[in-house]
Every structure is written in structure tokens, then in C-alpha cells.
Amino acid sequence: MRSIRKKRKKSLNSNDSAVNISGPDSGRFPAHVAIIMDGNGRWAKSRSLERLEGHRRGVEALETIIRTSVNIGISYLTVFAFSTENWNRPEYEVTGIMMLLKEFLRSRQEELRDNGIRFNVVGNPGMLSEDVLDALDEAKLLTKDCRKMVLTIALSYGGRDEITRAVKQLALDAVAGRIDVDGIDEQIISGYLDTRDLPDPDMLIRTSGEVRISNFLLWQLAYTEIFITDTLWPDFGPDELVSLIKEYQSRDRRFGKV
């Protein structure tokens, strides 16, 4: 297989992703951007590379988007890294993805902290190995006091799984008398979700041209503005992120009203 020469890794402190957002209404800026990072495998296949090389380049793209997001003032960035359905992929690929995740966390957690980025994770932890859970906990603990941006990784995550887990806990609390069934509303339900401490996304970006949300944030995306790009995730960069945010600024969000 042909290989790609390894590039020198850039620091999250790098200024090369410092871009200026200006648009039709600079005040209408998305606080929370969610991204379905899709297309790593197709990117690798188109270059006659192994799929894991696509995932490795996908991590590099993520680092660039994290730098850009914190530089331009996004408060919450949530990325879909690994779904509950992805456990059905070949074992070597799953193992490789988890290795890349641990490498990213352990090599970048101090830079996340130094840049004011709090690390967060949502998903079903029961399916993750102890070493992955340890890496996640280390990053969360080290960055817990950061306030500039919240980076959330959706890992072993599925929207239906999240809602199912929330409903089970809600039912247990109702039976135990901890909540009044007649008082259950949307706010109560939101409080049982993995994303209870996050606002709903303002915009969702999906790369690779697929037109579906793939079981991602099913409850939270009710009024999110959706953007589809044909760009494969490893090729997605700051310029396209800025372009999509400018398009977001031009949309009229009515939330069901006139």
C-alpha cells in the first residue's frame, strides 16, 4: 500500500487557523456547532490507502477544526467520533480507532487545558475498554476548570441508545417517587440525556455528502440548522467551516414560528 509522509504535528496553540468571521449579521453566531465527521474510509480508498490511514488523517483534520473553533469564538463543539453501530466494524479497525483516540487525548490534553478547552464525552461507557475510559477520565479531570470552549466527543454513542438509557432512569426515578409523572416535560427529559449540560446545537455539519443524521443527537437536533458538504472529513478545513458559518448567519431561524 502507498503511504503518506508523516507531517509535523501542529500545536493547538498555532495561529495558522486564526480566521475572521464576518457576514450579513455578525451577531448571529452559532454558540454550538455539531459535526458528523464522515468520509475517512472513502478518503483512504480513493488514495489506495488502508482505512486506518484515513482515520489518522481525520484526527489531524479534527485538531485543525478545534484550533479554528476556539479561535473564532465557538463556545461548544461536538463531534461524532464513534457510534454504537460502529462496534460492528472489523476488529482491527475498531482497535485502530481507539488507539488513535487514546493517542490524541494523551498527547493533546495539556494543550486543550492551556487553550481553555474543557473536554467532555457523551455515549455509552459500558462498551468501552478500561484503558480508553482511563484516557477519557484523565482528559476530563485535567480540563475541568476550562471555560473558553467545551469540546464534546460522542463516543460509543447512538441517539436511540441515549434516549433509551434516559427513559429507563426516568422510569426508575418515577417509581421511586423522586419525580412527579405529571410534571414530566421536555426540560425534565433533556435533563436525563447525556447532553444535559450542553445547549442544543445551532448548526450541524455533515461531511462526505451523505444526507442523513445517522442516529446522532436525535432529541437535540429538533431545530438545528443542517449543512451537508461533499467534502470528505480529512479534507475539511477552516475555510469551509467559516463559509458554512457565514451561510448559517444568513438563514432565518423561526423555531416553528412565523
Side-chain angles (χ1 to χ4, degrees):
M1 290 288 183
R2 186 163 55 91
S3 63
I4 291 180
R5 186 176 60 184
K6 201 168 186 178
K7 297 181 180 179
R8 180 177 61 85
K9 280 204 169 188
K10 297 177 181 177
S11 166
L12 290 175
N13 292 297
S14 173
N15 290 322
D16 65 338
S17 295
V19 291
N20 180 46
I21 292 287
S22 60
D25 183 355
S26 58
R28 296 186 66 252
F29 192 83
H32 187 177
V33 176
I35 304 177
I36 299 176
M37 306 181 295
D38 193 22
N40 291 341
R42 275 168 284 172
W43 183 92
K45 183 178 180 181
S46 68
R47 291 161 174 78
S48 299
L49 299 170
E50 294 183 358
R51 288 178 61 85
L52 192 57
E53 185 62 31
H55 294 306
R56 183 174 289 107
R57 290 297 295 267
V59 172
E60 293 179 7
L62 174 59
E63 292 179 354
T64 300
I65 293 304
I66 292 171
R67 287 197 301 270
T68 302
S69 298
V70 74
N71 283 337
I72 65 179
I74 290 172
S75 298
Y76 301 89
L77 175 66
T78 299
V79 295
F80 201 5
F82 192 87
S83 73
T84 50
E85 292 76 21
N86 287 156
W87 289 109
N88 296 317
R89 291 188 176 188
E91 184 178 355
Y92 79 89
E93 184 175 353
V94 172
T95 300
I97 291 172
M98 294 301 162
M99 177 194 68
L100 289 171
L101 172 67
K102 289 185 292 183
E103 180 183 293
F104 166 75
L105 290 174
R106 289 181 169 145
S107 65
R108 295 306 196 189
Q109 59 183 353
E110 291 185 2
E111 293 179 32
L112 291 174
R113 178 199 60 195
D114 294 344
N115 283 274
I117 301 171
R118 179 165 66 86
F119 178 76
N120 183 45
V121 62
V122 295
N124 191 336
M127 303 177 75
L128 298 169
S129 63
E130 286 298 324
D131 57 337
V132 171
L133 290 172
D134 288 345
L136 296 172
D137 288 342
E138 288 172 13
K140 287 192 288 186
L141 180 62
L142 187 66
T143 63
K144 64 183 178 63
D145 296 322
C146 296
R147 295 290 181 268
K148 194 169 183 181
M149 187 178 82
V150 177
L151 169 65
T152 299
I153 304 288
L155 182 66
S156 187
Y157 174 88
R160 289 183 174 182
D161 176 73
E162 176 191 31
I163 293 171
T164 299
R165 288 184 283 109
V167 169
K168 286 181 178 179
Q169 188 57 55
L170 185 61
L172 288 172
D173 287 346
V175 170
R178 288 187 286 268
I179 61 170
D180 178 6
V181 173
D182 292 333
I184 295 175
D185 56 15
E186 291 184 10
Q187 185 175 358
I188 294 292
I189 294 172
S190 294
Y192 279 81
L193 298 175
D194 296 348
T195 56
R196 64 185 66 87
D197 297 322
L198 304 174
D200 290 343
D202 296 298
M203 62 183 297
L204 169 70
I205 299 169
R206 178 167 189 147
T207 59
S208 87
E210 301 292 349
V211 188
R212 55 179 177 270
I213 58 175
S214 295
N215 200 18
F216 184 48
L217 301 177
L218 298 180
W219 176 275
Q220 300 87 340
L221 293 177
Y223 285 102
T224 299
E225 297 295 317
I226 298 176
F227 299 82
I228 306 295
T229 172
D230 290 332
T231 304
L232 300 178
W233 175 247
D235 292 327
F236 187 84
D239 289 344
E240 189 161 8
L241 175 62
V242 170
S243 177
L244 292 175
I245 290 176
K246 288 182 178 180
E247 183 180 341
Y248 166 86
Q249 291 178 313
S250 69
R251 291 192 182 181
D252 181 17
R253 302 187 72 196
R254 295 188 295 274
F255 299 95
K257 302 175 184 177
V258 176

PDB file of all heavy atoms in Angstrom, residues 19-33:
ATOM      1  N   VAL A  19      -8.924  32.814  12.007  1.00  0.00           N
ATOM      2  CA  VAL A  19      -9.646  33.402  10.888  1.00  0.00           C
ATOM      3  C   VAL A  19     -10.678  34.366  11.421  1.00  0.00           C
ATOM      4  O   VAL A  19     -11.107  34.286  12.561  1.00  0.00           O
ATOM      5  CB  VAL A  19     -10.331  32.315  10.031  1.00  0.00           C
ATOM      6  CG1 VAL A  19      -9.298  31.502   9.292  1.00  0.00           C
ATOM      7  CG2 VAL A  19     -11.176  31.416  10.895  1.00  0.00           C
ATOM      8  N   ASN A  20     -11.087  35.268  10.582  1.00  0.00           N
ATOM      9  CA  ASN A  20     -12.038  36.287  10.986  1.00  0.00           C
ATOM     10  C   ASN A  20     -13.398  35.995  10.384  1.00  0.00           C
ATOM     11  O   ASN A  20     -13.516  35.766   9.190  1.00  0.00           O
ATOM     12  CB  ASN A  20     -11.546  37.664  10.528  1.00  0.00           C
ATOM     13  CG  ASN A  20     -12.509  38.765  10.926  1.00  0.00           C
ATOM     14  OD1 ASN A  20     -12.979  38.803  12.055  1.00  0.00           O
ATOM     15  ND2 ASN A  20     -12.802  39.654   9.999  1.00  0.00           N
ATOM     16  N   ILE A  21     -14.417  35.981  11.229  1.00  0.00           N
ATOM     17  CA  ILE A  21     -15.772  35.765  10.756  1.00  0.00           C
ATOM     18  C   ILE A  21     -16.448  37.105  10.555  1.00  0.00           C
ATOM     19  O   ILE A  21     -16.524  37.919  11.460  1.00  0.00           O
ATOM     20  CB  ILE A  21     -16.592  34.956  11.775  1.00  0.00           C
ATOM     21  CG1 ILE A  21     -16.054  33.529  11.862  1.00  0.00           C
ATOM     22  CG2 ILE A  21     -18.051  34.913  11.406  1.00  0.00           C
ATOM     23  CD1 ILE A  21     -16.381  32.683  10.683  1.00  0.00           C
ATOM     24  N   SER A  22     -16.923  37.332   9.350  1.00  0.00           N
ATOM     25  CA  SER A  22     -17.762  38.499   9.097  1.00  0.00           C
ATOM     26  C   SER A  22     -18.827  38.048   8.124  1.00  0.00           C
ATOM     27  O   SER A  22     -18.565  37.255   7.229  1.00  0.00           O
ATOM     28  CB  SER A  22     -16.948  39.650   8.502  1.00  0.00           C
ATOM     29  OG  SER A  22     -16.363  39.264   7.275  1.00  0.00           O
ATOM     30  N   GLY A  23     -20.017  38.509   8.300  1.00  0.00           N
ATOM     31  CA  GLY A  23     -21.094  38.060   7.444  1.00  0.00           C
ATOM     32  C   GLY A  23     -22.221  39.047   7.438  1.00  0.00           C
ATOM     33  O   GLY A  23     -22.100  40.161   7.929  1.00  0.00           O
ATOM     34  N   PRO A  24     -23.372  38.656   6.911  1.00  0.00           N
ATOM     35  CA  PRO A  24     -24.507  39.563   6.839  1.00  0.00           C
ATOM     36  C   PRO A  24     -24.983  40.030   8.206  1.00  0.00           C
ATOM     37  O   PRO A  24     -25.579  41.090   8.324  1.00  0.00           O
ATOM     38  CB  PRO A  24     -25.583  38.729   6.128  1.00  0.00           C
ATOM     39  CG  PRO A  24     -25.145  37.312   6.304  1.00  0.00           C
ATOM     40  CD  PRO A  24     -23.663  37.345   6.335  1.00  0.00           C
ATOM     41  N   ASP A  25     -24.737  39.236   9.230  1.00  0.00           N
ATOM     42  CA  ASP A  25     -25.139  39.620  10.584  1.00  0.00           C
ATOM     43  C   ASP A  25     -24.166  38.964  11.545  1.00  0.00           C
ATOM     44  O   ASP A  25     -24.362  37.833  11.968  1.00  0.00           O
ATOM     45  CB  ASP A  25     -26.575  39.153  10.864  1.00  0.00           C
ATOM     46  CG  ASP A  25     -27.065  39.601  12.244  1.00  0.00           C
ATOM     47  OD1 ASP A  25     -26.252  40.176  13.001  1.00  0.00           O
ATOM     48  OD2 ASP A  25     -28.239  39.372  12.549  1.00  0.00           O
ATOM     49  N   SER A  26     -23.073  39.662  11.859  1.00  0.00           N
ATOM     50  CA  SER A  26     -22.019  39.064  12.664  1.00  0.00           C
ATOM     51  C   SER A  26     -22.492  38.729  14.076  1.00  0.00           C
ATOM     52  O   SER A  26     -21.849  37.977  14.795  1.00  0.00           O
ATOM     53  CB  SER A  26     -20.807  39.997  12.737  1.00  0.00           C
ATOM     54  OG  SER A  26     -21.177  41.250  13.281  1.00  0.00           O
ATOM     55  N   GLY A  27     -23.636  39.283  14.496  1.00  0.00           N
ATOM     56  CA  GLY A  27     -24.160  38.977  15.814  1.00  0.00           C
ATOM     57  C   GLY A  27     -24.832  37.623  15.875  1.00  0.00           C
ATOM     58  O   GLY A  27     -24.981  37.054  16.947  1.00  0.00           O
ATOM     59  N   ARG A  28     -25.246  37.093  14.728  1.00  0.00           N
ATOM     60  CA  ARG A  28     -25.910  35.786  14.687  1.00  0.00           C
ATOM     61  C   ARG A  28     -24.856  34.711  14.498  1.00  0.00           C
ATOM     62  O   ARG A  28     -24.674  34.156  13.421  1.00  0.00           O
ATOM     63  CB  ARG A  28     -26.933  35.750  13.560  1.00  0.00           C
ATOM     64  CG  ARG A  28     -28.077  36.736  13.739  1.00  0.00           C
ATOM     65  CD  ARG A  28     -29.148  36.571  12.676  1.00  0.00           C
ATOM     66  NE  ARG A  28     -29.829  35.286  12.811  1.00  0.00           N
ATOM     67  CZ  ARG A  28     -29.674  34.264  11.978  1.00  0.00           C
ATOM     68  NH1 ARG A  28     -28.845  34.359  10.962  1.00  0.00           N
ATOM     69  NH2 ARG A  28     -30.330  33.138  12.160  1.00  0.00           N
ATOM     70  N   PHE A  29     -24.155  34.428  15.599  1.00  0.00           N
ATOM     71  CA  PHE A  29     -23.045  33.492  15.550  1.00  0.00           C
ATOM     72  C   PHE A  29     -23.431  32.219  16.292  1.00  0.00           C
ATOM     73  O   PHE A  29     -23.998  32.285  17.390  1.00  0.00           O
ATOM     74  CB  PHE A  29     -21.812  34.130  16.212  1.00  0.00           C
ATOM     75  CG  PHE A  29     -20.542  33.376  15.977  1.00  0.00           C
ATOM     76  CD1 PHE A  29     -19.819  33.553  14.814  1.00  0.00           C
ATOM     77  CD2 PHE A  29     -20.067  32.492  16.925  1.00  0.00           C
ATOM     78  CE1 PHE A  29     -18.637  32.861  14.588  1.00  0.00           C
ATOM     79  CE2 PHE A  29     -18.893  31.789  16.722  1.00  0.00           C
ATOM     80  CZ  PHE A  29     -18.172  31.980  15.551  1.00  0.00           C
ATOM     81  N   PRO A  30     -23.165  31.042  15.726  1.00  0.00           N
ATOM     82  CA  PRO A  30     -23.554  29.796  16.398  1.00  0.00           C
ATOM     83  C   PRO A  30     -22.738  29.557  17.664  1.00  0.00           C
ATOM     84  O   PRO A  30     -21.507  29.534  17.628  1.00  0.00           O
ATOM     85  CB  PRO A  30     -23.263  28.724  15.343  1.00  0.00           C
ATOM     86  CG  PRO A  30     -22.167  29.319  14.506  1.00  0.00           C
ATOM     87  CD  PRO A  30     -22.446  30.793  14.457  1.00  0.00           C
ATOM     88  N   ALA A  31     -23.425  29.354  18.768  1.00  0.00           N
ATOM     89  CA  ALA A  31     -22.730  29.034  20.011  1.00  0.00           C
ATOM     90  C   ALA A  31     -22.276  27.583  20.011  1.00  0.00           C
ATOM     91  O   ALA A  31     -21.201  27.254  20.508  1.00  0.00           O
ATOM     92  CB  ALA A  31     -23.638  29.301  21.209  1.00  0.00           C
ATOM     93  N   HIS A  32     -23.115  26.703  19.436  1.00  0.00           N
ATOM     94  CA  HIS A  32     -22.841  25.264  19.479  1.00  0.00           C
ATOM     95  C   HIS A  32     -22.852  24.699  18.067  1.00  0.00           C
ATOM     96  O   HIS A  32     -23.872  24.738  17.372  1.00  0.00           O
ATOM     97  CB  HIS A  32     -23.896  24.570  20.347  1.00  0.00           C
ATOM     98  CG  HIS A  32     -23.623  23.128  20.593  1.00  0.00           C
ATOM     99  ND1 HIS A  32     -24.437  22.354  21.406  1.00  0.00           N
ATOM    100  CD2 HIS A  32     -22.646  22.291  20.137  1.00  0.00           C
ATOM    101  CE1 HIS A  32     -23.959  21.118  21.451  1.00  0.00           C
ATOM    102  NE2 HIS A  32     -22.885  21.065  20.680  1.00  0.00           N
ATOM    103  N   VAL A  33     -21.714  24.170  17.642  1.00  0.00           N
ATOM    104  CA  VAL A  33     -21.583  23.529  16.334  1.00  0.00           C
ATOM    105  C   VAL A  33     -21.362  22.040  16.538  1.00  0.00           C
ATOM    106  O   VAL A  33     -20.486  21.625  17.301  1.00  0.00           O
ATOM    107  CB  VAL A  33     -20.412  24.125  15.538  1.00  0.00           C
ATOM    108  CG1 VAL A  33     -20.225  23.379  14.215  1.00  0.00           C
ATOM    109  CG2 VAL A  33     -20.638  25.617  15.275  1.00  0.00           C
TER     110      VAL A  33
END
